[in-house]
């Protein structure tokens, strides 16, 4: 905008000239002229400012038309203000985006000032630490997280830690933590900005539990394999060092065969479990003839009962009833056979000779298929029931081993049930007997189709 205010220039020049003359000549008139010109100039400036302000209020800035010095000043101010407010708006929008991204983070995010006062936190952090926005923003974090581990972590905020790229770390407990329901958090403190701190909290409960399970599993497998191996090595040494009769030798060889068999069963069960855990669930269009599955389970049960009693005939009172009609089950024949025969084998192994074992299958009016194994064996105390399907969990370790158990049978049953959308129900009374039942959903059961359409599946 051009600077074209002649009156303005004239008045100012006049005042300056008057002032100069007055100063040089000592004339009072000149001083009066300066004063008058200054007053007029002041009034004129006031009028100009008033006019510009009125226009600014009405937002009627002349396009390309000069408004004088003050008008231009106002316009420039106005432009600068508009620019600043646009910048502020865009910064706000960016901040909102950033917060939305942090809100979406699966990790807890807390922004702390240099003294540890909470400036902001996301929803995940609110859940993990039990925070409420109105109540806790501005609070000192140490008032809300009262664990010694946190206090230690906070103490480590040395200037060196502030510089370094490495975060400070600690393990904390979530607000919902209790001994029966652990909530473990990995907390990381990162320095940022002007002495501020970013606290990242990740829920590592599942990860740590999986790690503990893996450690237990390796320890259990090693233990299970070491025992028969030690026994085998002992017998080998005996055979090598002692001169034994033929009968004694045969006795030791029998014992060695038993230990080798035990290891074989263990390895077989471990492989079954790892296959079940590592492979996709069986396809829904694979159908298994249930009656032949049942018959196979029945034949094996009779053989096992005789074997356990070292007899030619079964030593238990066995009853089998399959009231399902000709039906097919969706799933894998091998897996289903493994689950059903594990339940039957357990019933026989935990029921003394002379006890009763009843294996029954029914198709209910609702369409579900129930396969139940009922025994009059040792039974199980209630506190063990929820843990029976854990790998290597045994109520009676020695009985399990004596009868060739691996501690993996019910873990296999549970996996097969999950993969076939079936439910495993267990009820038992200590000293009286148990009932293990697999319930297959109606969608997985159908009337037997013509033989040609049944995909042939072999049972091991
Ligand atoms: P195991 O190879 O030791 O039998 P399982 O996983 O099959 O392992 O079973 C876990 C534990 O559950 C067994 O050690 C046993 O204590 C208990 N159990 C399983 N079935 C029965 C049953 N029918 N009667 C009594 N106890 C049983």
């Amino acid at each position: 905008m051009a600077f074209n205010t002649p009156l303005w220039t004239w008045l100012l020049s006049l005042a300056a000239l008057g002032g100069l003359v007055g100063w040089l000549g000592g004339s009072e008139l000149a001083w009066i002229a300066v004063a008058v010109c200054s007053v007029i100039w002041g009034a004129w400036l006031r009028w100009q400012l008033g006019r510009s302000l009125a226009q600014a209020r009405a937002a009627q800035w002349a396009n390309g038309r000069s408004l004088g010095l003050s008008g231009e000043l106002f316009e420039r101010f106005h432009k600068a203000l508009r620019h600043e407010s646009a910048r502020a708006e865009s910064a706000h929008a960016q901040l909102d985006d950033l917060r939305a991204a942090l809100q979406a983070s699966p990790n807890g995010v807390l922004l702390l000032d240099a003294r540890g006062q909470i400036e902001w936190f996301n929803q995940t952090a609110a859940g993990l630490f039990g925070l409420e926005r109105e109540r806790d923003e501005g609070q000192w974090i140490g008032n809300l997280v009262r664990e010694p581990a946190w206090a230690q972590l906070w103490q480590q905020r040395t200037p060196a830690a502030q510089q370094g790229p490495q975060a400070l770390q600690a393990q904390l407990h979530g607000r919902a933590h209790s001994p029966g329901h652990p909530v473990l958090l990995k907390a990381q403190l990162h320095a940022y900005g002007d002495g501020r701190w970013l606290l990242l909290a990740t829920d590592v409960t599942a990860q740590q539990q999986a790690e503990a399970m893996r450690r237990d599993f390796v320890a259990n497998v090693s233990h299970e394999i070491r025992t028969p191996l030690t026994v085998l090595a002992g017998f080998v040494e005996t055979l090598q060092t002692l001169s034994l009769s033929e009968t004694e030798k045969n006795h030791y060889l029998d014992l060695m065969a038993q230990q080798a068999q035990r290891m074989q069963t263990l390895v077989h069960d471990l492989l079954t479990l790892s296959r079940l855990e590592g492979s996709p669930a069986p396809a829904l269009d694979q159908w298994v003839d249930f009656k032949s599955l049942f018959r196979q389970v029945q034949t094996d049960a009779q053989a096992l009962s005789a074997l356990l009693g070292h007899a030619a005939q079964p030593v238990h009172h066995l009853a089998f009833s399959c009231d399902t009609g000709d039906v097919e089950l969706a799933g894998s024949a091998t897996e289903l056979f493994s689950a059903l025969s594990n339940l039957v084998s357990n019933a026989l192994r935990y029921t003394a000779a002379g006890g009763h074992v009843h294996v029954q299958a029914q198709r209910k009016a609702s369409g579900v298929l129930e396969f139940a194994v009922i025994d009059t064996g040792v039974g199980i105390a209630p506190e063990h029931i929820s843990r029976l399907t854990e790998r290597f969990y045994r109520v009676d370790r020695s009985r399990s081993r004596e009868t060739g158990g691996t501690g993996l049978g019910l873990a296999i049953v549970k996996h097969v049930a999950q993969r076939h959308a079936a439910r495993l129900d267990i009820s038992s009374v200590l000293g009286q007997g148990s009932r293990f039942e697999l319930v297959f959903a109606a969608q997985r059961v159908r009337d037997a189709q013509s033989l040609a359409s049944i995909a042939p599946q072999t049972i091991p």
Side-chain angles (χ1 to χ4, degrees):
M1 186 177 286
F3 177 66
N4 60 350
T5 314
L7 187 60
W8 193 94
T9 324
W10 277 113
L11 285 171
L12 202 59
S13 314
L14 220 62
L17 193 69
L20 187 70
V21 172
W23 180 62
L24 290 174
S27 160
E28 280 180 8
L29 215 64
W31 285 116
I32 290 167
V34 170
V36 170
C37 284
S38 299
V39 168
I40 294 171
W41 179 71
W44 183 84
L45 198 63
R46 169 80 183 77
W47 175 77
Q48 271 273 42
L49 285 171
R51 193 179 65 141
S52 300
L53 194 63
Q55 280 175 335
R57 277 182 185 147
Q60 287 173 342
W61 295 102
N63 232 351
R65 184 164 60 83
S66 167
L67 289 170
L69 178 65
S70 54
E72 184 182 348
L73 204 63
F74 269 115
E75 188 165 352
R76 284 185 189 278
F77 269 137
H78 182 70
K79 264 190 181 164
L81 269 177
R82 261 199 330 227
H83 181 66
E84 276 310 306
S85 82
R87 265 181 44 170
E89 262 174 37
S90 120
H92 259 291
Q94 276 180 4
L95 191 68
D96 284 349
D97 283 353
L98 202 67
R99 284 190 174 175
L102 292 177
Q103 242 353 328
S105 164
N107 295 321
V109 180
L110 278 111
L111 305 182
L112 307 173
D113 71 8
R115 287 172 302 156
Q117 278 179 331
I118 301 176
E119 293 186 328
W120 186 83
F121 53 84
N122 68 359
Q123 272 312 107
T124 314
L128 294 177
F129 291 105
L131 304 175
E132 278 177 32
R133 198 159 300 284
E134 281 77 32
R135 190 192 61 195
D136 297 326
E137 260 177 8
Q139 287 274 352
W140 186 55
I141 179 93
N143 285 341
L144 305 167
V145 183
R146 293 180 163 276
E147 286 182 60
W150 166 257
Q152 268 179 14
L153 181 69
W154 191 242
Q155 291 306 317
Q156 292 169 27
R157 297 164 303 127
T158 57
Q162 219 157 337
Q163 305 291 312
Q166 290 289 32
L168 303 172
Q169 284 197 23
Q171 177 152 314
L172 305 176
H173 294 107
R175 176 52 65 99
H177 175 84
S178 68
H181 176 77
V183 181
L184 307 172
L185 308 180
K186 182 169 107 182
Q188 291 182 312
L189 206 51
H190 298 263
Y192 83 99
D194 186 14
R196 289 188 159 86
W197 294 92
L198 168 73
L199 173 61
L200 285 180
T202 317
D203 189 337
V204 289
T205 317
Q207 195 184 323
Q208 298 226 344
Q209 280 173 344
E211 184 55 29
M213 267 174 71
R214 192 192 62 77
R215 275 198 305 269
D216 286 355
F217 184 66
V218 172
N220 274 319
V221 170
S222 314
H223 178 76
E224 294 293 329
I225 289 180
R226 202 175 48 213
T227 317
L229 261 183
T230 315
V231 179
L232 260 178
F235 288 148
V236 169
E237 206 183 310
T238 312
L239 286 172
Q240 282 172 334
T241 50
L242 298 180
S243 60
L244 301 167
S245 69
E246 205 55 29
T247 331
E248 284 170 327
K249 259 189 202 159
N250 285 339
H251 172 67
Y252 281 115
L253 285 172
D254 276 353
L255 293 175
M256 287 167 75
Q258 272 177 26
Q259 296 305 321
Q261 175 62 42
R262 198 174 138 189
M263 281 199 291
Q264 238 168 4
T265 316
L266 179 68
V267 170
H268 174 268
D269 280 1
L270 283 170
L271 286 175
T272 306
L273 252 188
S274 93
R275 254 198 310 272
L276 290 174
E277 285 176 348
S279 63
L284 266 172
D285 58 355
Q286 268 183 300
W287 291 91
V288 182
D289 176 28
F290 186 75
K291 271 197 166 169
S292 40
L293 196 64
F294 192 91
R295 270 198 299 274
Q296 182 70 44
V297 170
Q298 180 171 349
T299 314
D300 279 17
Q302 283 158 340
L304 181 63
S305 172
L307 191 76
L308 287 168
H310 306 287
Q313 296 297 319
V315 293
H316 299 90
H317 294 285
L318 301 176
F320 299 91
S321 48
C322 183
D323 307 323
T324 56
D326 287 333
V327 287
E328 292 167 10
L329 256 183
S332 147
T334 320
E335 290 184 22
L336 289 167
F337 176 74
S338 168
L340 305 191
S341 60
N342 258 308
L343 293 183
V344 176
S345 134
N346 278 354
L348 295 169
R349 287 169 40 238
Y350 297 104
T351 303
H356 291 256
V357 174
H358 185 190
V359 183
Q360 65 178 35
Q362 283 180 338
R363 193 179 185 191
K364 297 277 175 190
S366 58
V368 303
L369 191 149
E370 288 177 359
F371 174 85
V373 184
I374 305 134
D375 66 57
T376 56
V378 294
I380 306 156
E383 65 270 23
H384 296 292
I385 289 187
S386 63
R387 300 198 57 190
L388 293 181
T389 56
E390 287 175 23
R391 296 182 287 191
F392 296 112
Y393 189 84
R394 290 152 161 141
V395 179
D396 182 347
R397 204 159 271 276
S398 59
R399 184 172 187 128
S400 162
R401 289 227 176 88
E402 272 164 31
T403 55
T406 59
L408 296 173
L410 289 179
I412 292 174
V413 175
K414 184 187 83 177
H415 270 88
V416 174
Q418 278 172 351
R419 288 160 65 85
H420 289 79
R423 200 179 71 227
L424 173 65
D425 291 338
I426 307 172
S427 52
S428 188
V429 179
L430 189 61
Q432 290 187 23
S434 314
R435 178 191 175 96
F436 286 75
E437 186 173 69
L438 276 170
V439 183
F440 294 92
Q443 301 92 297
R444 296 205 154 236
V445 186
R446 71 175 188 189
D447 290 331
Q449 309 287 293
S450 70
L451 281 174
S453 67
I454 300 174
Q457 287 203 45
T458 46
I459 298 163

